[in-house]
Structure formats: structure tokens, C-alpha cells
Amino acid sequence: MRLLTHNMLSSNIKGVANGFPLGLEVQKFVEKQVDFNPDFLKNMFPKIEWKALVTAAKTMGYAELPEEVESSMLESEDFLQKFHHALLELHLEEGALICPETGRRFAVTKGIPNMLLHEDEV
Amino acid sequence: MSSRPELQAPPEIFYNESEARKYTSSSRIVEIQAKLSERAVELLALPDDGVPRLLLDIGCGSGLSGETLSEYGHQWIGLDISQSMLDVALEREVEGDLLLSDMGQGLALRTGVIDGAISISAVQWLCNADKSCHNPRLRLKAFFGSLYRSLARGAKAVFQMYPESLAQRELILGFAMRAGFAGGVVVDYPHSSKSRKEYLVLTCGPPSVSTAIPSAKGEDGESCSDDDDDSSGDEEHTVSISDRHRPRKKLKVSKKGKDRKWLLKKKDQQRKKGNIVPPDTRYTGRKRKARF
Ligand SMILES: C[S@@+](CC[C@H](N)C(=O)[O-])C[C@H]1O[C@@H](n2cnc3c(N)ncnc32)[C@H](O)[C@@H]1O
């Protein structure tokens, strides 16, 4: 699972008011090279919760993202490359996602988060 | 035995390891799913600007449908309830991210972030109650409600589906509309039992020009064998809809009405299907006098 997906996920356990961002528990992560596409990054940028991306990237050992951003930075190739790397090239392989309100763990195995809810969480 | 997988076992049981493998190694299935997915992408009608979008593949299975999204250059997140199907997707090294998730529990996604969704041959599964805690109506409601929230304004969701009956189609469509979607059903090749395919085309947001139902393929087509599905560019395209947002009247056909010849042909077709049809008489298809 890439940080792109992490940035889109939000815990939907019954009764949880704000399920974002899910905490990251990293046992293993991998880096995979992906084609660089600035158009995609520009299209995604307004939808990204930046703080959550910065924190998640750090948890995965990547601390190059600026803490504060504004859309003018999308003109910078250097910024786009870092954004690209954090969003699409860092994969959580083994570990868990943690609901910020309830602490419930969603295990991640072979890169796939298990988001299935228990009966009483629906 | 019933040939509908939905009636045999819950999806996570039906799509076990051997079925997942069988499914994905059948070149016939691979080809069909690719065709369905291509048509779904076409119906998504994303802006033609070459910009990759973030899409969902709901009930992504082993990634056959998602691969089509990758071919178009899009990024995608696929979710499926069957671990075995997802395992095959991993083996095939699909480019999208995968989630083990039950759409009937609602999607665990933020609001307004997804540019579009496709779902190929999956949504009819929601109409079954596979566990005692399952209520298809609640599950459809949770699913469409969460999908609506996760999509960006104006984004579309296209479901190729195999409803078991008219009632099932209406049920699915009804919950989509209640969630706030505008749209309806597009039926390609409605006269061919083999090639007939249904797509639920939904738009997030109030009805507008952009939520109009796209044209179906080959509605007039006698010839629509599986092989010439994609060569249908010149055929006259017409629309088959079932659309809550349109007044009833519009569904009625033209000023002249259908003629007697057309009617006799239709009645004959119905007879051949074994349906009970009133006998043909000199009154059949006769002009009625306007009354009141
Ligand atoms: C016929 S397969 C289609 C798979 C893929 N879309 C394709 O085109 O090859 C239907 C898929 O829907 C999935 N499915 C059924 N019910 C589901 C549910 N409630 N949530 C998520 N996926 C489900 C099944 O596990 C199965 O993988």
C-alpha cells in the first residue's frame, strides 16, 4: 500500500467521528520505482492532507517533504520529485493501520490492509 | 444446479483459491472482463486531457478490471472481499493498491477525494444475505452512501452488473438514487441474450447536462455476436434507460407510434420466448380514437 492510499483512507467504524489519519505501524516497507507524472501530482495535490503525508513519510523513513506547502510549489521540479516519491514509491508491506479514535488495528499483510469490520463495528 | 455464483456461496467462500485461479487463467474470462472494463471506462467519460486520475475498482478481484485502468494510465485503489482473489492480483503484480474490504460495510475513505469508480460484475452480490447479520437493504445503503461521499463532485461511478431480476435491478438503482446519485441504466445489445450487458451509470451531484445517460450500443442490432462487439461504431446507438429523474412521458416513443408490422414482430419474439401474448387480430396495432 502506497502513502497515496493511506492519505485517502479513513476509519469507518461505527460511532467514529473523525477516522483520519490512520496511524501507521511499520514492520516492513519497500520502495518501488514508478513513472513520474507531474500532471497526476498536480491533480492530486489539492486533495492531499499534507500534514498526514509528511508524518506518514517520516514513519517510513523519508523526511524530505517540506512541513508547509502552497500550490505555487507545484512549479518546482525538485518539490514534485519529492512529492512523487512520498506519494507513490513508498509501500507499507507489513504492519498495521490504527484508527485514531478507537485504537483498533487494521493489519497490513503483503501490502494489503485488512479493512474488514467486525459485526459490532458496522 | 444454479449457474449463478451469487446463489451458491458467499463471495469470500465462492472465490476461494481454486476458483480465483480458475477465474483468472481462463482466457475467455480475461477477455470478457477486459471488454467490460473498457466499456465502463468509456462510460466514466473522464475529461480527455491525458491527466491520470485516482479511481476505485470495487470488487476488483484478481485485478482484471484494474489492469484496464492502468492501461489508460490511471492510478487506482481496488477493494475486494476475497483474500484469494487479491492474492492472485498480487501474483500478477497489478499496479493499483489493494484493500481487503466488504463494500456492504461502507467504504473507509475520506470525503470527496476519488475521481471516479468502476465495478465490474460485482455489485449484484450485495443483494444476498450471506450471514444472519446481513440485511441487503442496509448494506446497499451503507455502500452507496459511502461511495457518494468519497467521490468528488461531478465524478461518475459505473457498475457493470448482472442483476438476477428486474426487482433486483430496481433495488440497486433505488439505493443509488437515495444516496444522492443521478443516473440510470445503460443496456448494450439489449436484444442479444449473449451480448446483452447492463451498466449502472451514476453521477455524484444533482442532475444536470453532464448527468444525462449515455447511449447504449447496438440497441437495434440483430448482429451482435461477441466478436463484433467493438466494431459497432457505425451502428445506430439508442438509449435504454430506467431513470428516476426523468418524467415518465419521455420514455414513450415518438409522435407516430410504432406501426402494426413492428408490433407483430415484437409479439412474435415474445411468443418465441415462451411468453403469453394475446392472439393477433385485425384490431392489433389499430389506431385508437382519442377519448376524453
Ligand atoms: C466476477 S468477480 C469480478 C472481479 C473483477 N472486477 C473482474 O472484472 O475480473 C466479482 C468480485 O466481486 C467480489 N465481491 C463480491 N461481494 C463483495 C463485497 N461485498 N465486497 C467486495 N467485493 C465483493 C468477489 O470477491 C469477486 O472478486
Side-chain angles (χ1 to χ4, degrees):
Chain A
M1 184 200 67
R2 298 162 295 182
L3 295 189
L4 166 67
T5 299
H6 171 258
N7 208 273
M8 299 300 132
L9 284 174
S10 177
S11 164
N12 65 337
I13 296 172
K14 186 166 119 195
V16 168
N18 188 2
F20 184 85
L22 292 160
L24 276 179
E25 193 182 294
V26 185
Q27 281 158 26
K28 182 182 164 200
F29 73 92
V30 291
E31 292 187 24
K32 293 182 200 165
Q33 261 204 336
V34 180
D35 289 344
F36 176 67
N37 188 317
D39 286 340
F40 176 71
L41 298 171
K42 287 175 190 167
N43 176 49
M44 275 319 293
F45 180 78
K47 297 184 201 152
I48 296 293
E49 286 286 342
W50 193 259
K51 282 218 149 38
L53 181 65
V54 173
T55 310
K58 278 187 189 155
T59 319
M60 307 269 268
Y62 185 71
E64 302 294 307
L65 291 179
E67 298 283 338
E68 301 291 332
V69 279
E70 46 181 279
S71 50
S72 64
M73 294 164 99
L74 293 169
E75 304 301 317
S76 151
E77 169 86 11
D78 178 59
F79 170 74
L80 285 175
Q81 290 286 356
K82 288 173 177 166
F83 182 23
H84 168 78
H85 182 67
L87 198 67
L88 298 172
E89 298 191 320
L90 302 173
H91 292 243
L92 177 61
E93 273 292 296
E94 303 288 334
L97 304 174
I98 321 274
C99 170
E101 270 190 31
T102 63
R104 149 83 140 93
R105 285 175 89 250
F106 296 94
V108 178
T109 325
K110 293 181 284 186
I112 303 180
N114 178 347
M115 302 304 291
L116 294 173
L117 300 178
H118 305 133
E119 257 173 60
D120 58 354
E121 294 172 329
V122 181
Chain B
M1 195 179 76
S2 159
S3 63
R4 287 188 70 87
E6 295 86 4
L7 299 179
Q8 293 176 35
E12 66 277 25
I13 310 285
F14 179 83
Y15 291 105
N16 58 16
E17 211 185 310
S18 75
E19 183 61 32
R21 218 160 283 287
K22 209 167 81 193
Y23 181 87
T24 320
S25 56
S26 154
S27 58
R28 190 182 65 90
I29 291 180
V30 172
E31 194 185 320
I32 293 176
Q33 299 312 108
K35 256 187 197 166
L36 297 175
S37 312
E38 276 165 30
R39 177 67 170 140
V41 175
E42 189 180 306
L43 291 169
L44 266 188
L46 293 165
D48 190 14
D49 54 9
V51 176
R53 297 298 197 286
L54 176 62
L55 305 178
L56 284 185
D57 184 358
I58 300 160
C60 64
S62 52
L64 299 180
S65 37
E67 255 157 33
T68 302
L69 299 178
S70 296
E71 278 165 25
Y72 284 88
H74 298 299
Q75 297 288 348
W76 55 277
I77 300 173
L79 58 102
D80 203 282
I81 199 172
S82 157
Q83 180 70 55
S84 304
M85 288 294 260
L86 294 176
D87 284 340
V88 177
L90 279 185
E91 272 174 32
R92 304 175 67 243
E93 299 188 338
V94 296
E95 286 174 44
D97 276 346
L98 305 169
L99 304 173
L100 180 61
S101 161
D102 174 1
M103 60 174 136
Q105 295 182 333
L107 307 176
L109 293 166
R110 275 171 52 209
T111 302
V113 287
I114 305 293
D115 297 318
I118 66 162
S119 173
I120 308 299
S121 323
V123 76
Q124 71 277 353
W125 281 95
L126 273 187
C127 297
N128 299 341
D130 289 319
K131 293 185 181 156
S132 60
C133 62
H134 278 186
N135 174 336
R137 288 169 178 278
L138 290 181
R139 286 166 57 74
L140 283 161
K141 184 168 175 240
F143 169 63
F144 282 112
S146 63
L147 177 64
Y148 187 86
R149 285 189 294 278
S150 73
L151 290 172
R153 270 276 145 144
K156 281 192 162 65
V158 177
F159 297 80
Q160 183 274 322
M161 57 179 187
Y162 295 113
E164 188 183 58
S165 61
L166 217 75
Q168 200 172 77
R169 179 216 272 184
E170 287 298 307
L171 184 73
I172 295 171
L173 185 63
F175 276 97
M177 297 296 157
R178 242 182 272 181
F181 284 107
V185 179
V186 173
V187 183
D188 285 352
Y189 309 108
H191 307 307
S192 157
S193 56
K194 212 171 121 208
S195 306
R196 184 182 198 282
K197 292 289 181 279
E198 281 193 31
Y199 299 82
L200 183 57
V201 181
L202 304 174
T203 307
C204 188
S208 70
V209 194
S210 69
T211 66
I213 308 301
S215 306
K217 284 190 180 178
E219 218 218 347
D220 58 337
E222 305 286 271
S223 68
C224 41
S225 79
D226 273 336
D227 322 287
D228 61 18
D229 274 10
D230 45 5
S231 62
S232 59
D234 307 330
E235 276 172 38
E236 189 190 322
H237 289 182
T238 17
V239 191
S240 303
I241 44 165
S242 155
D243 183 349
R244 292 274 160 79
H245 287 283
R246 253 181 221 219
R248 261 284 137 90
K249 272 191 192 145
K250 284 212 177 149
L251 293 176
K252 283 191 193 149
V253 185
S254 79
K255 326 107 225 171
K256 276 196 293 170
K258 311 276 190 185
D259 62 1
R260 181 179 157 90
K261 224 173 91 199
W262 179 87
L263 207 83
L264 290 175
K265 195 176 118 202
K266 282 288 161 195
K267 287 177 82 172
D268 209 47
Q269 282 174 359
Q270 289 302 317
R271 267 183 216 111
K272 282 188 189 137
K273 285 189 194 161
N275 292 339
I276 298 165
V277 179
D280 300 335
T281 67
R282 64 199 171 93
Y283 300 109
T284 304
R286 187 190 57 158
K287 277 236 163 43
R288 309 281 145 139
K289 284 218 176 66
R291 277 185 164 182
F292 311 113

